[in-house]
């Protein structure tokens, strides 16, 4: 039985109060265990095998003016608070991550990977080895980071976004271009691999079974479904294997819940209340917080001063991340300088929060120059905090780490930190036969995690037999079977029995095990005798697993397992009644591209029972593999498919013909001749009209431009408008932008969203856009000019005329149309507001269009959660409502054929009707057939001039109410 003792450092004062300004979930304790002047600018915290807390300071963020260092924290009086430090190593460049390793540490110090040796454990570094070089050293937020010891005994790191070409020190010929991917490396064998698409963020989280989760700013949690090594240059339908797994996003952003009065944002005020600075992603495997916190990933938002917790649940071959708490987060602070950049689970199962503690956390690159001049980017550089989150008072007995027997027993510990540390220490030592026997006994343990660690250690040490691997493939725990499949890859060339077991697992009840079985099978070379002997069985088994419920990751894995036999597998499954068309498309994407293969796919497709829509998907992927094909040699097969093809499928086949330089078919020409007329035929179903529009894709711009612009009118079906804009975006004629601007006020609200991107992101349209803004045809607020969109015109174009015209309209710091009004009301920000009086102001002046709690009417945006914005941002929104207008709240004028005029926002629009929401809450539905004129007013429904209706004190009261509600 694992011994636990109470140690001074990890004991907690039961009467400990939560620090002022913090809110934490009930039952948990939050303790400040280290702070300035003891530590400054911490970004990483790790515990070594002695239980020493080691902290990495990074005072060089963001100015690159000071070097990082590592400290050992000590608690001499055993009161649970660190009171002294030992400088373990300084002058570490711009190091941002480290991990304990071989009686010392590894340090990510771009462009290097360093090893610091402390062989006698006296906290004095005897030697520094440079192990790798070539990592990029640019924006500090995006340097490589997140050093993690993997369960497979490799070391993992997050790319961070800056890429680089790391190489083994002393041999630049080993350089590997990261190409936007994370990496793993093995210091013993000097192997290095790209891991998979990187989120580009700070931190890397590994669960008990070696799966990795990542984070980056807006996308707070992603899962790397499987590593890049299985692709071997082949293509899959998903763009990459990094998947956003959050199930709680609104328009691409996940809502979070900061507390206290919010500060002004230096960029992207529209992101207030949503993840925008996610970092420090950490898997909680401490085993001390109860069942609710098992399988949870913790993510900090460094901008909004909080920590969010997601529960991880299986979803096919990947996972779903669901928030644990509704309308609140696990930990939040009203201290705007609380900047949680990282977290670490300790030996006692507590979660330690690393707070770099800065007044300004944004990198200067993303702060507008005008605003940067007003900020002190160094504020807080002499500060830093570490907080401990705990629930129970148990602690690990480090004496277990003093013997091999104790290390083996530690593999049963419920705390992931203890198990991982024990595994690392075992791997760093020379193990005796007695120790290996102890590990083999663990293979029969009831403890599934002990079995998992034991088999990885034995495998890596070369002490695992094929029979033991085969037995472990039957493990009752699905996640263990998944891991053993990875181990089995090394035994495949030696054991036909293991191959049989892997083939059997292609039909495992667990989707992720099935995926891994296919991936592992893909590692057996086709020229291997075992593969040749079992080829029919392999294809038969892949065809069988193809009948099971398969998500995009299972489809990718089956395709990779087929290797060069994708045509054969396609032939086996294409005639099945309920065959997965996405799998057929994936197989078609991976054929050799030889004429015979293309012919085979087309022949089997012609007799497949799948729908035309599904055949369209297959042909669209097949077309990517026809570079080597002589079109004439497959024209008959294309013609057979065209004979009974519907419009969409016919269009797809026409695209294939075009790529093969074949003449259009007679069927296509028949349809295309009538397409120009039928696109605008209102008597036809909308879906058919959209299909006819797709036929126009093959015509040059000059022959179809009139029709495309006619499709943009607001009396046309929305899908027709959207598809017409998509076609227009393929051309660079300057008249396109000018015609879109001329039609701007008559475009429907949804279409204006797409049209704004067409004008902004296609440089040939910039002149038209700027002219429209200058003449007031387009209200500047309708363009949603956030920081990046502004910089598209201000910075990221080579056209100096465009830059100068844009500067006259707005600055890098933002859009402000009513500076005089802002100046007049600015004193309201310094006055003490009364929220009860503010409630009266709201009821009298705002409630006809806005709802706050139970007060008011919902015409414009509901303001119940507006407290996520700062008072200054709210003041700007009130006084300058047209600086940035959500398209759905733009005022519209609608005149009916009977002469009635309705003013308001478009609450709903369908292909048949428009619903106008008027001031006061009235809704009016008008059939499009009854509309005479329908146009955007280009402005918010909220009128300007609010500063003339309220005194400074009344505005202060209103802002206080919007921040705090009507509480007494």
């Amino acid at each position: 039985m694992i011994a636990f003792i109470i140690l001074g450092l990890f004991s907690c004062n039961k009467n400990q109060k939560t620090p002022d300004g913090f809110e934490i979930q009930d039952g948990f304790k939050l303790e400040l265990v280290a702070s300035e002047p003891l530590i400054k600018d911490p970004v990483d915290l790790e515990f070594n095998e002695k239980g020493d807390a080691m902290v990495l300071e990074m005072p060089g963020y963001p100015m690159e003016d000071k070097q990082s260092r590592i400290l050992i924290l000590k608690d001499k009086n055993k009161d649970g608070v660190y009171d002294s430090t030992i400088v373990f190593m300084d002058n570490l460049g711009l190091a941002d991550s480290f991990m304990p390793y071989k009686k010392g540490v590894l340090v990510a110090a771009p462009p290097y990977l360093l090893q610091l040796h402390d062989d006698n454990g006296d906290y004095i570094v005897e030697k520094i080895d440079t192990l790798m070089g070539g990592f990029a050293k640019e924006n500090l937020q995006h340097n490589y980071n997140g050093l993690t010891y993997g369960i497979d005994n490799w070391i993992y790191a997050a790319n961070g976004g800056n890429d680089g070409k790391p190489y083994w020190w002393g041999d630049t010929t080993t350089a590997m271009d990261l190409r936007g991917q994370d990496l793993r490396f093995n210091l013993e064998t000097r192997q290095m691999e790209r891991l998979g698409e990187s989120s580009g963020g700070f931190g890397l989280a590994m669960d008990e079974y070696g799966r990795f989760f990542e984070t980056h700013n807006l996308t707070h949690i992603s899962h790397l479904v499987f590593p890049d090594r299985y692709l071997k240059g082949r293509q899959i339908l998903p763009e990459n294997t990094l998947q956003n797994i959050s199930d709680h996003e609104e328009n691409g952003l996940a809502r979070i819940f900061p507390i206290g009065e919010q500060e002004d944002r230096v960029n992207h005020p529209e992101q207030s209340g949503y993840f925008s600075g996610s970092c420090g992603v950490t898997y909680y495997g401490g085993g001390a917080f109860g069942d609710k916190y098992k399988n949870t990933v913790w993510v900090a938002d460094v901008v909004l001063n909080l920590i969010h917790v997601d529960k991880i649940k299986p979803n096919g071959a990947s996972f779903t991340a669901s928030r644990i708490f509704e309308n609140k987060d696990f930990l939040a602070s009203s201290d705007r300088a609380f900047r949680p950049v990282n977290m670490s689970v300790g030996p006692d199962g507590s979660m330690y929060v690393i707070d770099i503690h800065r007044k300004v956390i944004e990198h200067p690159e993303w702060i507008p120059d005008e605003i940067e001049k007003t900020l002190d980017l160094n504020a807080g550089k002499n500060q830093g905090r570490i907080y401990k989150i705990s629930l129970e008072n148990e602690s690990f007995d480090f004496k277990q780490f003093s013997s091999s027997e104790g290390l083996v027993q530690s593999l049963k510990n419920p705390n992931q930190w203890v198990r991982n540390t024990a595994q690392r220490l075992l791997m760093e030592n020379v193990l005796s036969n007695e120790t290996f026997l102890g590990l083999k006994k663990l293979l029969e343990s009831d403890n599934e995690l002990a079995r998992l660690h034991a088999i990885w250690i034995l495998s890596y040490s070369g002490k695992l037999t094929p029979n033991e691997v085969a037995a472990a493939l039957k493990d009752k725990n699905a996640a263990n079977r998944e891991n053993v499949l990875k181990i089995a890859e090394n035994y495949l060339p030696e054991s036909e029995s293991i191959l049989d077991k892997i083939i059997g697992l292609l039909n495992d009840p667990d989707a992720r095990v099935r995926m891994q079985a296919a991936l592992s099978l893909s590692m057996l070379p086709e020229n291997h005798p075992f593969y040749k002997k079992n080829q029919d069985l392999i294809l038969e088994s892949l065809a069988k697993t193809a009948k099971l419920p398969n998500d995009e990751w299972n489809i990718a894995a089956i395709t990779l397992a087929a290797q060069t036999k994708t045509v054969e597998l396609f032939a086996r499954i294409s005639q099945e009644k309920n065959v997965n068309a996405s799998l057929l498309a994936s197989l078609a994407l991976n054929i050799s591209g030889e004429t015979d293969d293309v012919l085979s796919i087309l022949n089997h497709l012609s007799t497949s029972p799948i729908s035309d829509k599904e055949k369209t998907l297959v042909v669209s992927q097949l077309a990517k593999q026809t570079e080597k094909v002589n079109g004439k040699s497959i024209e008959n097969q294309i013609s057979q498919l065209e004979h009974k093809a519907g419009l969409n499928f016919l269009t797809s086949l026409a695209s294939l013909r075009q790529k093969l330089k074949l003449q259009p078919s007679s069927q296509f020409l028949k349809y295309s001749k009538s397409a120009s007329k039928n696109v605008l035929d209102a008597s036809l179903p909308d879906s058919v009209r959209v299909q006819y529009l797709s036929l126009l894709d093959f015509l040059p711009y000059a022959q179809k431009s009139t029709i495309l612009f006619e499709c943009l009118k607001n009396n046309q079906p929305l899908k027709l408008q959207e598809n017409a804009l998509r076609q227009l975006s393929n051309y660079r004629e300057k008249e396109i932008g000018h015609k879109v601007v001329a039609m701007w006020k008559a475009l429907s609200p949804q279409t204006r969203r797409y049209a704004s991107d067409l004008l902004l992101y296609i440089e040939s349209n910039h002149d038209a856009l700027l002219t429209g803004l200058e003449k007031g045809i387009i209200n500047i607020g309708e363009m949603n000019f956030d920081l990046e969109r502004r910089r598209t015109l201000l910075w990221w174009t080579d056209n100096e005329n465009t830059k100068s015209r844009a500067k006259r309209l707005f600055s890098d710091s933002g859009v402000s149309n009513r500076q005089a009004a802002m100046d007049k009301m600015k004193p309201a920000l310094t006055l003490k507001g009364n929220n009860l009086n503010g409630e009266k102001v709201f009821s009298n002046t705002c409630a006809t269009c806005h709802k706050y709690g139970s007060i008011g009417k919902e015409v414009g945006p509901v303001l119940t959660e507006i407290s996520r914005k700062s008072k200054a941002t709210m003041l700007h929104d009130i006084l300058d409502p047209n600086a940035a207008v959500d398209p759905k709240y733009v005022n519209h004028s609608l005149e009916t054929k009977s002469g009635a005029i309705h003013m308001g926002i478009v609450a709903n629009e369908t292909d048949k009707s428009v619903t106008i929401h008027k001031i006061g809450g009235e809704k009016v539905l008008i059939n499009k057939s009854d509309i005479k004129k329908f146009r955007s007013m280009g402005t918010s429904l909220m009128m300007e001039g609010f500063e003339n209706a309220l005194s400074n004190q009344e505005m202060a009261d209103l802002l206080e109410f919007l921040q705090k509600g009507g509480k007494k």
Side-chain angles (χ1 to χ4, degrees):
M1 184 174 178
I2 297 174
F4 285 88
I5 61 173
I6 305 300
L7 296 180
L9 172 59
F10 300 115
S11 66
C12 300
N13 183 343
K14 292 183 179 180
N15 297 318
Q16 178 77 36
K17 289 179 59 179
T18 298
D20 291 342
F22 284 85
E23 292 181 5
I24 191 169
Q25 289 308 303
D26 293 343
F28 285 88
K29 289 171 282 193
L30 179 69
E31 302 169 86
L32 180 63
V33 295
S35 62
E36 70 280 352
L38 197 69
I39 60 169
K40 302 171 185 176
D41 311 299
V43 295
D44 200 4
L45 173 73
E46 301 292 339
F47 292 89
N48 65 17
E49 57 267 30
K50 300 177 185 177
D52 291 327
M54 308 178 73
V55 64
L56 174 64
E57 297 181 333
M58 191 181 182
Y61 178 82
M63 307 308 292
E64 304 185 26
D65 54 345
K66 295 182 179 179
Q67 296 199 50
S68 299
R69 67 175 184 170
I70 295 176
L71 304 178
I72 309 289
L73 304 185
K74 290 294 183 180
D75 176 26
K76 292 184 176 180
N77 61 8
K78 306 299 181 184
D79 65 351
V81 177
Y82 297 108
D83 47 35
S84 65
T85 62
I86 299 170
V87 177
F88 183 66
M89 191 68 209
D90 53 15
N91 297 320
L92 289 173
L94 295 169
D96 58 14
S97 174
F98 76 107
M99 57 165 275
Y101 182 75
K102 288 188 175 180
K103 296 183 178 179
V105 297
L106 295 179
V107 182
Y112 309 114
L113 173 71
L114 306 176
Q115 182 179 358
L116 312 185
H117 297 264
D118 177 21
D119 294 334
N120 59 11
D122 62 356
Y123 307 122
I124 297 174
V125 174
E126 295 98 12
K127 184 174 69 167
I128 301 177
D129 285 332
T130 302
L131 304 181
M132 297 172 72
F135 291 99
K137 178 185 172 186
E138 298 175 22
N139 182 323
L140 300 191
Q141 290 180 341
H142 298 296
N143 285 340
Y144 91 103
N145 63 83
L147 292 176
T148 302
Y149 191 88
I151 197 165
D152 57 0
N153 302 301
W154 286 59
I155 295 166
Y156 290 75
N159 177 315
N162 283 343
D163 285 336
K165 297 180 180 180
Y167 57 88
W168 296 109
W169 192 248
D171 185 2
T172 56
T173 64
T174 61
M176 179 184 73
D177 191 344
L178 287 178
R179 299 200 306 244
Q181 298 196 27
D182 296 325
L183 75 155
R184 71 170 188 163
F185 49 87
N186 189 317
L187 295 178
E188 302 303 314
T189 61
R190 286 173 65 90
Q191 292 172 275
M192 179 175 20
E193 293 179 357
R194 282 181 290 268
L195 182 60
E197 184 74 12
S198 178
S199 69
F202 187 71
L204 199 59
M206 183 184 74
D207 75 359
E208 289 99 338
Y209 301 101
R211 297 111 163 205
F212 283 94
F213 302 90
E214 305 184 31
T215 192
H216 182 223
N217 290 352
L218 305 180
T219 305
H220 76 283
I221 182 164
S222 300
H223 170 224
L224 186 68
V225 185
F226 63 79
D228 183 72
R229 65 190 179 92
Y230 292 111
L231 295 176
K232 293 178 283 190
R234 301 180 67 192
Q235 301 179 73
I236 58 175
L237 295 181
E239 186 176 351
N240 53 64
T241 61
L242 185 71
Q243 182 184 34
N244 180 351
I245 61 171
S246 169
D247 70 355
H248 44 285
E249 297 193 353
E250 307 166 4
N251 300 316
L253 297 174
R255 182 77 166 89
I256 48 179
F257 300 91
I259 63 171
E261 184 172 333
Q262 298 303 295
E263 65 182 356
D264 296 343
R265 292 179 63 104
V266 298
N267 55 45
H268 290 291
E270 76 281 357
Q271 292 172 3
S272 298
Y274 295 89
F275 264 116
S276 60
S278 64
C279 61
V281 59
T282 303
Y283 181 82
Y284 180 74
F289 291 173
D291 289 343
K292 184 172 184 175
Y293 292 89
K294 287 181 179 178
N295 301 316
T296 56
V297 172
W298 299 41
V299 185
D301 191 283
V302 74
V303 175
L304 292 184
N305 326 103
L306 56 77
I307 291 172
H308 174 88
V309 179
D310 281 334
K311 189 82 167 179
I312 305 301
K313 304 168 188 172
N315 180 22
S318 183
F319 298 94
T320 294
S322 305
R323 62 166 77 249
I324 282 191
F325 304 104
E326 292 298 325
N327 301 319
K328 60 181 177 179
D329 280 298
F330 179 84
L331 175 69
S333 177
S334 59
D335 179 0
R336 300 283 77 93
F338 171 63
R339 305 293 187 180
V341 294
N342 214 340
M343 288 171 276
S344 182
V345 179
D348 57 347
S350 296
M351 181 70 84
Y352 290 79
V353 179
I354 297 97
D355 169 18
I356 196 172
H357 213 79
R358 295 286 181 84
K359 178 63 178 172
V360 179
I361 195 63
E362 287 82 357
H363 192 280
E365 180 181 350
W366 298 106
I367 302 175
D369 293 343
E370 297 168 41
I371 295 176
E372 185 179 337
K373 293 174 184 176
T374 69
L375 303 175
D376 180 2
L377 299 182
N378 291 311
K381 274 201 172 185
N382 59 344
Q383 296 176 304
R385 319 273 168 87
I386 294 174
Y387 295 90
K388 174 183 172 183
I389 298 170
S390 60
L391 190 62
E392 300 175 359
N393 290 330
E394 293 179 334
S395 182
F396 176 67
D397 182 359
F398 288 93
K399 292 178 181 178
Q400 285 193 228
F401 285 168
S402 61
S403 68
S404 295
E405 181 182 0
L407 288 170
V408 171
Q409 290 303 307
S410 295
L411 298 177
K412 298 180 180 179
N413 196 287
N415 186 342
Q416 184 185 24
W417 180 91
V418 174
R419 296 193 309 275
N420 288 354
T421 302
Q423 176 172 330
R424 176 177 62 80
L425 293 174
L426 284 165
M427 295 305 305
E428 291 173 359
N429 293 325
V430 177
L431 303 183
S432 65
N433 288 333
E434 184 179 357
T435 301
F436 284 124
L437 286 173
L439 289 167
K440 285 180 179 279
K441 286 181 181 179
L442 284 187
L443 296 179
E444 307 300 325
S445 170
D446 291 335
N447 186 316
E448 62 192 39
L449 292 170
R451 297 197 302 272
L452 177 67
H453 285 275
I455 198 166
W456 272 113
I457 297 169
L458 289 166
S459 171
Y460 194 84
S461 302
K463 298 294 184 179
L464 195 65
T465 68
N467 287 340
E468 288 167 333
V469 175
L473 285 170
K474 300 177 184 178
D475 197 292
K476 59 186 177 182
N477 178 272
N480 279 12
R481 295 198 298 278
E482 174 193 337
N483 272 268
V484 179
L485 279 163
K486 297 175 186 177
I487 292 171
E489 294 167 15
N490 296 319
Y491 295 79
L492 260 176
E494 306 168 17
S495 172
E496 194 170 358
S497 173
I498 286 179
L499 174 59
D500 289 340
K501 296 290 190 303
I502 293 176
I503 292 173
L505 288 173
L506 288 171
N507 291 283
D508 192 274
D510 184 89
R512 190 159 175 83
V513 172
R514 294 200 304 273
M515 177 191 75
Q516 186 58 54
L519 294 172
S520 296
L521 186 60
S522 75
M523 303 302 282
L524 180 65
E526 288 180 311
N527 60 2
H528 192 281
F530 290 166
Y531 186 95
K532 292 178 179 179
K533 178 181 176 182
N534 292 279
Q535 178 178 317
D536 285 343
L537 175 61
I538 289 170
L539 290 174
E540 179 185 337
S541 299
L542 288 173
K544 184 178 178 182
T545 195
K547 297 178 182 180
L548 298 173
N550 290 306
D551 62 13
E552 58 188 322
W553 311 113
N554 290 110
I555 288 170
I558 292 170
T559 302
L560 296 172
Q563 300 193 62
T564 66
K565 304 298 187 294
T566 51
V567 174
E568 289 89 333
L569 183 57
F570 190 102
R572 285 179 183 249
I573 68 175
S574 60
Q575 308 307 307
E576 296 286 343
K577 184 177 181 181
N578 296 312
V579 63
N580 189 315
S582 293
L583 176 55
L584 292 179
S586 182
L587 293 170
L589 176 64
N590 282 276
I591 66 169
S592 68
E594 298 295 334
T595 299
D596 286 347
D597 284 356
V598 176
L599 277 171
S600 178
I601 296 293
L602 292 174
N603 281 329
H604 286 98
L605 194 61
S606 66
T607 56
S608 176
I610 64 175
S611 67
D612 270 12
K613 182 179 179 181
E614 292 170 321
K615 288 179 180 178
T616 297
L617 173 63
V618 176
V619 168
S620 68
Q621 299 303 320
L622 178 66
K624 299 175 182 178
Q625 297 295 342
T626 56
E627 289 83 1
K628 296 186 265 183
V629 175
N630 181 327
K632 288 293 183 183
S633 62
I634 65 170
E635 188 170 17
N636 286 338
Q637 281 68 29
I638 296 175
S639 297
Q640 288 177 21
L641 288 166
E642 288 170 327
H643 185 61
K644 295 182 179 180
L647 263 179
N648 273 347
F649 187 33
L650 190 62
T651 304
S652 178
L653 291 167
S655 179
L656 178 60
R657 279 180 172 273
Q658 187 179 58
K659 186 167 185 180
L660 294 169
K661 295 181 172 57
L662 296 173
Q663 291 297 315
S665 68
S666 58
Q667 295 97 323
F668 177 78
L669 290 174
K670 176 184 175 183
Y671 279 114
S672 62
K673 286 177 182 177
S674 59
S676 299
K677 180 182 68 173
N678 290 338
V679 165
L680 300 176
D681 187 349
S683 67
L684 293 174
D686 295 344
S687 59
V688 173
R689 294 173 66 189
V690 171
Q691 289 176 11
Y692 274 113
L693 180 61
S694 67
L695 296 179
L696 300 185
D697 248 336
F698 299 92
L699 295 179
Y701 171 76
Q703 293 183 27
K704 63 182 177 181
S705 61
T706 301
I707 298 168
L708 293 178
F709 287 109
E710 189 67 26
C711 288
L712 294 184
K713 292 184 176 179
N714 59 36
N715 62 344
Q716 300 292 354
L718 295 173
K719 276 291 181 184
L720 206 63
Q721 298 175 41
E722 179 184 333
N723 279 277
L725 275 173
R726 180 189 57 77
Q727 286 199 35
L728 287 170
S729 69
N730 294 324
Y731 301 97
R732 296 299 177 264
E733 279 76 0
K734 289 192 174 183
E735 72 168 39
I736 293 175
H738 290 285
K739 286 189 174 183
V740 170
V741 170
M743 299 179 69
W744 183 264
K745 292 186 182 297
L747 297 177
S748 69
Q750 293 185 50
T751 303
R752 279 198 299 277
R753 295 185 185 191
Y754 297 112
S756 70
D757 288 346
L758 178 142
L759 293 172
L760 181 64
Y761 293 122
I762 297 176
E763 191 157 0
S764 58
N765 295 331
H766 283 177
D767 176 64
L769 170 60
L770 291 166
T771 300
L773 291 168
E774 290 161 349
K775 291 183 176 180
I777 299 171
I778 302 175
N779 183 289
I780 199 166
E782 294 182 277
M783 288 298 298
N784 184 28
F785 275 123
D786 61 26
L787 182 63
E788 285 78 16
R789 288 171 74 92
R790 294 196 301 273
R791 287 184 172 180
T792 299
L793 298 175
L794 290 170
W795 289 13
W796 299 334
T797 174
D798 294 329
N799 190 313
E800 294 301 323
N801 183 49
T802 296
K803 291 179 181 179
S804 63
R805 291 172 70 185
K807 286 177 183 177
R808 292 195 289 270
L809 292 167
F810 46 79
S811 69
D812 191 43
S813 61
V815 176
S816 181
N817 298 320
R818 308 191 69 243
Q819 192 58 49
M822 292 290 296
D823 293 341
K824 178 181 177 181
M825 270 295 175
K826 198 169 184 179
L829 296 175
T830 60
L831 294 175
K832 181 174 177 59
N834 183 300
N835 60 318
L836 297 180
N837 290 340
E839 182 176 346
K840 296 175 184 176
V841 175
F842 180 87
S843 298
N844 293 333
T845 59
C846 310
T848 55
C849 285
H850 294 287
K851 193 175 182 69
Y852 188 105
S854 61
I855 306 170
K857 297 182 179 180
E858 187 178 338
V859 181
V862 174
L863 302 181
T864 306
E865 293 189 356
I866 200 171
S867 60
R868 58 191 169 88
K869 295 186 177 183
S870 70
K871 287 184 177 179
T873 299
M874 287 191 289
L875 181 66
H876 179 270
D877 292 347
I878 292 169
L879 297 180
D880 197 356
N882 293 309
V885 189
D886 187 322
K888 65 183 177 182
Y889 296 118
V890 170
N891 195 14
H892 284 73
S893 171
L894 187 152
E895 181 180 354
T896 67
K897 292 177 180 177
S898 65
I901 296 176
H902 303 281
M903 301 283 291
I905 65 172
V906 178
N908 186 45
E909 181 182 5
T910 69
D911 292 334
K912 302 297 182 185
S913 66
V914 175
T915 302
I916 298 293
H917 205 168
K918 298 182 174 184
I919 292 176
E922 179 188 359
K923 288 186 178 180
V924 181
L925 186 148
I926 302 101
N927 290 325
K928 284 191 171 179
S929 59
D930 295 330
I931 295 175
K932 180 180 179 182
K933 291 181 181 179
F934 178 41
R935 63 196 299 267
S936 164
M937 304 304 291
T939 58
S940 169
L941 186 63
M942 183 174 173
M943 294 178 288
E944 296 178 355
F946 212 72
E947 71 279 3
N948 299 318
L950 300 180
S951 66
N952 286 339
Q953 184 59 58
E954 287 172 322
M955 180 62 79
D957 294 341
L958 175 61
L959 296 174
E960 187 74 5
F961 168 71
L962 293 175
Q963 276 276 341
K964 298 181 179 177
K967 300 175 183 177
K968 293 184 178 181

